[in-house]
Amino acid sequence: MKIQHAATLLLAITLSLAAQTTAKKPVKKNSTDPLAVHRNAIVIDTHADTTQRLVDENYDLTDPLKGGQLNFESAKKGNLGAEFFSIWVEPDLYKGQYAHRTLDLIDAVYQQAAKHPDQMMMAFSPADIEKARREHKLAALMGIEGGHSIEDSLGLLRDYYRLGVRYMTLTWSNSNDWADSSGDADDPKVHHTQDGLTDFGKDVVYEMNRLGMMVDISHVSDKTFYRAVITSRAPVIASHSSARAICNAPRNMTDDMLRAVARSGGPNSKGGVVMVNYYSAFISQAYRDAMLKQEPEVKKATDDLKAQFAKEGKQVTYGDLEKLQESYANKIPRPPLSALIDNIDHIAKVAGIDHVGLGSDFDGVSGQLPEGIDSAADLPKITQALMARGYSAADCDKILGGNLLRVFREVETTAKELQAESATRPKIEEQQPFHKN
């Protein structure tokens, strides 16, 4: 009996040691194969205008692309883990209906998640993005593009947050009552603020910080950019902007602005992130110059189309305008993929590897993307090109989504800190006790 017991004990010890050895054996991860690196990363895109198609064309994400750049099939092929659907209200077409149109767009994203729960889930936090990845679903987030959507109401801003909006671009190409846009900064007919943000604008930024909504400075004027960076208690993002040193578009970030984003946030902040826009006219100066030559002709054709619709008693849609603009833009040769990589590389070198990411602008640039990028299915080509330039697997993980997740988490932390402050902060726009009459 003792011999049998000893043998049994010896066998148990042997099995235990074998199990421990197996448990300690590291799982090898191929860090030199770009496709494996891309597949293992959480890929996050912070800007797609596909939402317009959902509303105006009754497009469904299970449909073929039909000339677009994003659907479930392309997202799966490109290992796209999270998409921020842009909630953008065209300011001229929907004047007086900004909130109504905003809510229609938000509802359209929710409808897709409800119709296809096996392929997409609504996400409101970094934890949700990670959960969606574990469940092999596309994480659907939302970002408002243009502060005019809040109609000068902090209450509406809070409502949008409750509905799931997790960033807001302070302006689109149009200035609003409290912030200036790069799109009309030089237009003398447009009223602009004195300092880039009015007192109410500063209240908007603070309230975004308090809620946990990322402050997005794509589209804003340079003056508004610096005022927003100074005002924000949390790191800021540029959801879809490229490098002005490479392509001189007012929408792009100068090197000083890139460094300011990297330093943004509180004293303990690790800084914000600039998500590179894929639009050819923002990544290639040659393409931009050709586009600017076309502008007068495109403007006349656009005005004629709007007039034609008005004469027929119909409302022209964003899709109608985009098709017209695409017909002109297709006459310009597309820049090479290297132009996009040049922008990522420049921002990484100027701001640091922790401060660059991806903000495609899919379905929002009339199909004008660099060669090789026709849809979300082509995202692995970006990782391949980056690694060909010497970027490591860890670098790519940051660029593909890690940097945005870090900023998102810090924005959440800042919100909790501000919400925990005992004293209620008075609104800047209201008369302060120390103000003299």
Side-chain angles (χ1 to χ4, degrees):
M1 291 292 292
K2 286 182 180 179
I3 294 174
Q4 185 178 359
H5 177 71
T8 302
L9 182 62
L10 180 61
L11 178 61
I13 292 171
T14 303
L15 289 173
S16 176
L17 288 172
Q20 289 177 29
T21 303
T22 303
K24 289 180 180 179
K25 187 177 180 180
V27 178
K28 287 188 177 180
K29 180 178 174 181
N30 192 337
S31 60
T32 58
D33 175 11
L35 293 179
V37 170
H38 189 87
R39 189 170 56 248
N40 288 323
I42 297 181
V43 182
I44 302 173
D45 178 42
T46 51
H47 195 93
D49 280 297
T50 314
T51 332
Q52 311 296 320
R53 301 190 73 194
L54 301 180
V55 175
D56 296 334
E57 302 172 27
N58 293 315
Y59 184 71
D60 191 278
L61 291 173
T62 59
D63 290 344
L65 286 172
K66 300 176 185 175
Q69 289 95 49
L70 179 64
N71 63 5
F72 287 140
E73 182 183 7
S74 64
K76 187 173 183 180
K77 285 181 179 178
N79 191 42
L80 179 61
E83 181 62 65
F84 280 79
F85 287 86
S86 174
I87 308 301
W88 170 68
V89 175
E90 211 290 341
D92 293 326
L93 296 181
Y94 299 99
K95 195 165 289 183
Q97 305 174 56
Y98 294 160
H100 189 283
R101 176 70 173 178
T102 299
L103 293 172
D104 280 346
L105 293 165
I106 289 172
D107 179 66
V109 180
Y110 272 93
Q111 289 299 317
Q112 288 295 304
K115 286 171 67 178
H116 309 293
D118 57 328
Q119 298 190 69
M120 184 169 105
M121 63 172 271
M122 297 303 299
F124 313 106
S125 66
D128 286 343
I129 293 173
E130 291 165 344
K131 182 175 186 289
R133 177 179 171 81
R134 291 193 298 271
E135 296 181 6
H136 306 287
K137 297 176 184 178
L138 177 66
L141 300 102
M142 296 177 291
I144 284 178
E145 184 178 17
H148 56 283
S149 275
I150 70 169
E151 297 186 353
D152 299 342
S153 167
L154 293 179
L156 261 182
L157 176 68
R158 288 188 283 270
D159 286 339
Y160 294 148
Y161 180 84
R162 293 182 191 108
L163 288 172
V165 172
R166 289 300 177 265
Y167 77 67
M168 184 172 74
T169 321
L170 300 182
T171 73
W172 181 59
S173 296
N174 58 304
S175 294
N176 53 49
D177 290 338
W178 45 271
D180 302 330
S181 168
S182 62
D184 58 19
D186 298 325
D187 188 341
K189 294 178 290 184
V190 175
H191 172 74
H192 293 109
T193 69
Q194 183 175 340
D195 301 315
L197 279 179
T198 65
D199 286 347
F200 177 75
K202 294 170 189 174
D203 284 330
V204 170
V205 170
Y206 176 84
E207 190 64 6
M208 291 174 72
N209 289 165
R210 192 191 68 81
L211 290 169
M213 187 185 289
M214 288 179 278
V215 175
D216 178 14
I217 46 73
S218 286
H219 277 294
V220 303
S221 71
D222 291 7
K223 188 161 59 172
T224 298
F225 167 86
Y226 286 108
R227 184 60 61 185
V229 168
I230 291 169
T231 303
S232 181
R233 300 268 292 270
V236 303
I237 68 166
S239 66
H240 56 309
S241 293
S242 299
R244 206 181 296 181
I246 292 176
C247 183
N248 189 26
R251 278 271 284 98
N252 284 346
M253 305 278 105
T254 67
D255 286 1
D256 283 344
M257 294 165 83
L258 294 176
R259 286 185 280 264
V261 170
R263 295 191 300 266
S264 65
N268 299 317
S269 175
K270 292 184 179 178
V273 60
V274 175
M275 319 299 287
V276 175
N277 191 318
Y278 304 178
Y279 180 34
S280 295
F282 292 159
I283 61 172
S284 164
Q285 189 63 48
Y287 184 99
R288 180 170 180 77
D289 291 342
M291 182 205 70
L292 291 173
K293 274 188 180 180
Q294 277 189 345
E295 265 191 359
E297 191 179 356
V298 174
K299 185 181 184 307
K300 183 181 183 306
T302 301
D303 291 341
D304 290 346
L305 184 66
K306 287 180 180 179
Q308 178 187 331
F309 269 75
K311 187 177 180 180
E312 296 171 2
K314 295 188 292 186
Q315 172 67 65
V316 66
T317 69
Y318 170 71
D320 296 322
L321 296 174
E322 187 175 42
K323 284 173 187 172
L324 172 68
Q325 291 159 2
E326 185 172 355
S327 67
Y328 282 91
N330 284 339
K331 299 174 185 177
I332 307 173
R334 295 165 68 180
L337 176 60
S338 59
L340 172 60
I341 307 305
D342 287 345
N343 279 264
I344 297 173
D345 189 46
H346 182 84
I347 294 170
K349 286 174 178 172
V350 173
I353 192 63
D354 295 322
H355 307 288
V356 61
L358 305 178
S360 68
D361 220 343
F362 282 150
D363 289 328
V365 292
S366 304
Q368 301 310 301
L369 302 167
E371 290 177 351
I373 304 294
D374 296 311
S375 75
D378 296 313
L379 290 172
K381 295 178 183 177
I382 294 175
T383 305
Q384 288 177 308
L386 286 169
M387 294 190 76
R389 293 201 187 189
Y391 283 85
S392 68
D395 293 336
C396 290
D397 282 347
K398 290 180 177 183
I399 294 169
L400 293 172
N403 288 336
L404 190 279
L405 281 174
R406 172 187 60 76
V407 172
F408 200 170
R409 289 190 183 100
E410 187 176 328
V411 167
E412 288 187 326
T413 299
T414 301
K416 289 176 183 175
E417 291 170 354
L418 294 178
Q419 290 166 18
E421 289 181 353
S422 55
T424 302
R425 170 185 174 274
K427 292 183 176 62
I428 296 174
E429 64 168 337
E430 294 176 354
Q431 191 77 0
Q432 302 298 312
F434 50 81
H435 283 176
K436 293 182 179 180
N437 291 327

